[in-house]
Amino acid sequence: MKNLATILIRVEDTIRTALARLDRAGWTILLLVDEDGVLLRTVTDGDLRRLLLANRDLESTLDQLEEQHPRTVSRGASTDLVLRLMNRCQVDQVPEVDEDGRPVDLHLRREIDQPVLLSPPHLADEERKFVEQAFATNWIAPVGPNIDAFETEIAATVGMRSAAALSSGTAAIHLGLKLLGVGPGDRVFCSSLTFVATVNPIRYLDAEPVFIDSEPGTWNMSPAALARALEAADRSGNLPRAVVPVGLYGQSPDMEPILELCDRYGIPVLEDAAESLGATYRGRAAGTFGRLGIYSFNGNKIITTSGGGMLVGDDESLIERARFLATQARTPAGHYEHDEVGFNYRMSNILAGIGRGQLQVLGDRVERRRRIFERYRSGLEDVEAIRWMPEPAGHRSTRWLTAATIDPNATDRDLRGIVDSLADAGIEARRIWKPMHRQPVFAGAGYWPHHPRESVSDRLFETGLCLPSGSGMTEQQQDRVVRRVRERLAAPIRTWRSATLSLG
Ligand SMILES: Cc1ncc(COP(=O)(O)O)c(C=O)c1O
């Protein structure tokens, strides 16, 4: 809600005062109120200009304005209603008034109909400097000082010895799995609740994914499901070549029990921290717990290079080999010599420049996203149907995306309707990832639920959504989201429905 004090004006004020106030407030409207604060009419700079053209001078008072019935909405009006009124009356601002007619808020068209995106890029000041240096020195190639520096800076930020800058997070997973020895016919255990990019590289290597459910505490890989999957694999002599836990929506998995299990069976871990750069688990950076970890700098991530990824690890020879494979496996001869098949997976020096600038503001971006989460949480505190993604003790999430579930017992609004209704208001929300064990492309792959009769990722998919969380969002945009979610969810419950759960 806006502070309206700066745009309230009284009939005894002069045109000069009104113009000065408009100038200071930065809005194009004033609210003329009586001695009880009741709204009499709105005043635009056009109204003031018309008075001057009608031979009033700057010292004339506002009682010279014609009477006008103000177009207002009452407290709590829906965004749709406000927008309809704006369109019908061809105005761009509509005051909201309380029961006595006193203004309590002002709706601005630009805040209502400009799209609010889920997680757009948020540039800082320094990217341009690094990119311009690359141009000035003609380092436009997938080699150059920004790449070396970006790798060193990321490694230092997360506390790993070494890092390889690559063309995408997907490329980093592909190379990482290859470096862990994954090949045709091997099995790889990975989180089911994730973006498909975690799994596709398993298939690139002609290996077979086996999906592990989430646990309710972190929404990430369930140690209980992993334990049962590993026991069974051990019994049948078919242990996986690697385990890939994913840190969803800015939060690390519960890595300690996962690592304990993997160590017990001697299975290496590749941590997919594409979404959780900047998060910590027990004080250490997410992405640094496995033998290898990956980050993504896709345009929607907490920091971006427009597209890019990073493979990190403590074993410098592994990372050096990743760089080699990423540059077409070209051996250091005086000519083009290749002993094995490589990839064109290196990041460009230009994009690494963007990454260096972005990395400088990572801490700020984490704080901003956490604040956005808090604003949503407090703004929707009283909406019973919402349950926020938990952040267990020992975890510090970045809240890359504010994620929540909608309790189907507490509302009769279905998830799709909510997402569609937000879209109608120009707000981009998304459902939680559809688990990989339910994707047609992986039909027939193994799946281990959290408990034999409880699939957490299925429930999260059926009930979960992500709200816009870009670190550049204004408070007004967040309030617009809050208002719209509230409109959809605070409506009276008409039916009682029980939660449905399906094991995929
Ligand atoms: C969990 C997860 N893994 C992997 C990726 C792949 O990263 P990229 O888009 O950089 O290839 C993404 C995001 O895009 C992701 O969200």
Side-chain angles (χ1 to χ4, degrees):
M1 223 166 258
K2 301 175 184 69
N3 175 10
L4 300 183
T6 52
I7 55 166
L8 295 184
I9 196 138
R10 303 277 293 275
V11 279
E12 56 271 26
D13 286 318
T14 62
I15 297 179
R16 182 190 296 281
T17 308
L19 284 170
R21 201 155 292 179
L22 270 181
D23 213 32
R24 266 204 312 274
W27 292 340
T28 54
I29 194 173
L30 297 173
L31 305 178
L32 188 70
V33 292
D34 69 12
E35 60 278 10
D36 296 321
V38 173
L39 182 67
L40 300 172
R41 58 165 289 168
T42 56
V43 182
T44 64
D45 50 357
D47 295 322
L48 299 173
R49 226 175 309 123
R50 273 187 289 280
L51 281 182
L52 292 173
L53 288 172
N55 287 334
R56 307 302 196 293
D57 63 25
L58 286 171
E59 303 316 321
S60 306
T61 51
L62 298 181
D63 55 0
Q64 305 289 315
L65 283 164
E66 276 176 23
E67 260 184 50
Q68 179 203 71
H69 184 65
R71 297 178 186 101
T72 60
V73 289
S74 43
R75 206 199 273 275
S78 72
T79 319
D80 284 344
L81 187 77
V82 176
L83 201 56
R84 276 208 302 278
L85 186 68
M86 284 177 174
N87 292 339
R88 199 173 61 231
C89 304
Q90 308 232 307
V91 292
D92 294 329
Q93 298 110 335
V94 170
E96 180 174 322
V97 293
D98 66 12
E99 312 67 48
D100 300 318
R102 293 192 190 92
V104 289
D105 203 357
L106 179 66
H107 297 274
L108 306 177
R109 184 188 287 277
R110 69 175 139 84
E111 288 176 4
I112 292 184
D113 63 5
Q114 269 198 5
V116 182
L117 301 177
L118 188 72
S119 181
H122 181 188
L123 291 182
D125 297 328
E126 296 295 307
E127 297 88 350
R128 192 179 294 275
K129 183 183 88 190
F130 293 117
V131 171
E132 275 167 5
Q133 269 170 17
F135 272 93
T137 52
N138 207 26
W139 282 111
I140 315 292
V143 281
N146 278 336
I147 300 180
D148 300 342
F150 191 32
E151 290 178 344
T152 310
E153 287 159 7
I154 281 276
T157 301
V158 300
M160 282 300 237
R161 281 219 188 91
S162 208
L166 301 170
S167 54
S168 68
T170 313
I173 296 171
H174 188 187
L175 287 186
L177 290 172
K178 197 171 162 58
L179 291 171
L180 296 183
V182 174
D186 284 337
R187 300 201 314 153
V188 175
F189 287 6
C190 74
S191 300
S192 184
L193 192 65
T194 184
F195 179 51
V196 71
T198 310
V199 193
N200 281 337
I202 300 173
R203 280 286 174 83
Y204 301 165
L205 293 162
D206 290 323
E208 192 192 317
V210 173
F211 298 116
I212 309 294
D213 195 12
S214 300
E215 45 104 7
T218 60
W219 293 17
N220 289 319
M221 185 177 273
S222 155
L226 180 65
R228 294 202 322 281
L230 284 171
E231 266 163 39
D234 192 31
R235 272 199 308 276
S236 61
N238 197 8
L239 280 168
R241 182 68 69 174
V243 171
V244 185
V246 181
L248 279 188
Y249 303 129
Q251 177 152 274
S252 167
D254 191 4
M255 288 306 292
E256 205 169 87
I258 292 173
L259 290 178
E260 248 174 56
L261 284 163
C262 292
D263 284 351
R264 191 181 309 158
Y265 295 97
I267 318 282
V269 168
L270 170 79
E271 211 184 328
D272 178 352
E275 299 180 8
S276 55
L277 176 63
T280 59
Y281 170 74
R282 307 205 172 179
R284 225 171 95 185
T288 63
F289 290 86
R291 180 117 187 261
L292 292 169
I294 75 101
Y295 301 109
S296 164
F297 307 113
N298 194 0
N300 62 5
K301 295 298 184 288
I302 195 153
I303 60 169
T304 182
T305 57
S306 83
M310 192 72 75
L311 183 71
V312 296
D314 271 337
D315 183 338
E316 286 173 73
S317 61
L318 263 190
I319 299 295
E320 191 46 48
R321 186 158 160 73
R323 293 191 192 106
F324 164 75
L325 288 173
T327 32
Q328 306 286 18
R330 185 178 163 197
T331 57
H335 55 278
Y336 289 96
E337 183 81 12
H338 306 272
D339 301 331
E340 58 186 307
V341 173
F343 306 87
N344 183 8
Y345 274 175
R346 232 18 195 139
M347 180 181 278
S348 89
N349 193 54
I350 300 263
L351 299 193
I354 301 178
R356 292 185 71 191
Q358 287 271 283
L359 191 56
Q360 293 183 357
V361 293
L362 175 62
D364 168 78
R365 301 305 190 246
V366 172
E367 291 312 318
R368 282 170 184 258
R369 294 209 185 225
R370 287 182 64 87
R371 277 205 299 274
I372 289 169
F373 168 78
E374 282 307 333
R375 196 172 178 91
Y376 283 142
R377 181 153 70 176
S378 67
L380 294 163
E381 207 165 34
D382 54 324
V383 180
E384 249 184 71
I386 298 188
R387 310 262 187 283
W388 303 104
M389 181 178 182
E391 185 186 39
H395 289 254
R396 188 165 194 273
S397 168
T398 65
R399 300 287 182 189
W400 169 58
L401 294 184
T402 285
T405 54
I406 307 298
D407 178 358
N409 293 322
T411 176
D412 61 353
R413 308 295 170 141
D414 81 334
L415 204 56
R416 201 150 142 205
I418 297 166
V419 172
D420 288 349
S421 140
L422 289 167
D424 290 345
I427 296 167
E428 187 185 22
R430 287 277 169 85
R431 301 232 346 232
I432 296 292
W433 300 124
K434 180 174 179 179
M436 293 299 121
H437 68 272
R438 287 175 66 171
Q439 298 287 354
V441 64
F442 302 123
Y447 173 56
W448 291 85
H450 178 55
H451 284 307
R453 301 199 57 75
E454 188 198 3
S455 172
V456 172
S457 57
D458 277 292
R459 178 168 49 77
L460 292 172
F461 171 61
E462 306 293 352
T463 58
L465 89 171
C466 300
L467 296 176
S469 307
S471 44
M473 270 181 100
T474 62
E475 291 191 347
Q476 282 78 18
Q477 287 176 318
Q478 293 161 52
D479 293 346
R480 207 175 120 195
V481 177
V482 166
R483 189 183 265 271
R484 187 71 181 193
V485 172
R486 179 179 284 290
E487 279 165 27
R488 294 301 299 177
L489 288 180
I493 303 169
R494 285 199 300 270
T495 55
W496 176 269
R497 278 201 265 132
S498 64
T500 49
L501 183 76
S502 62
L503 288 179

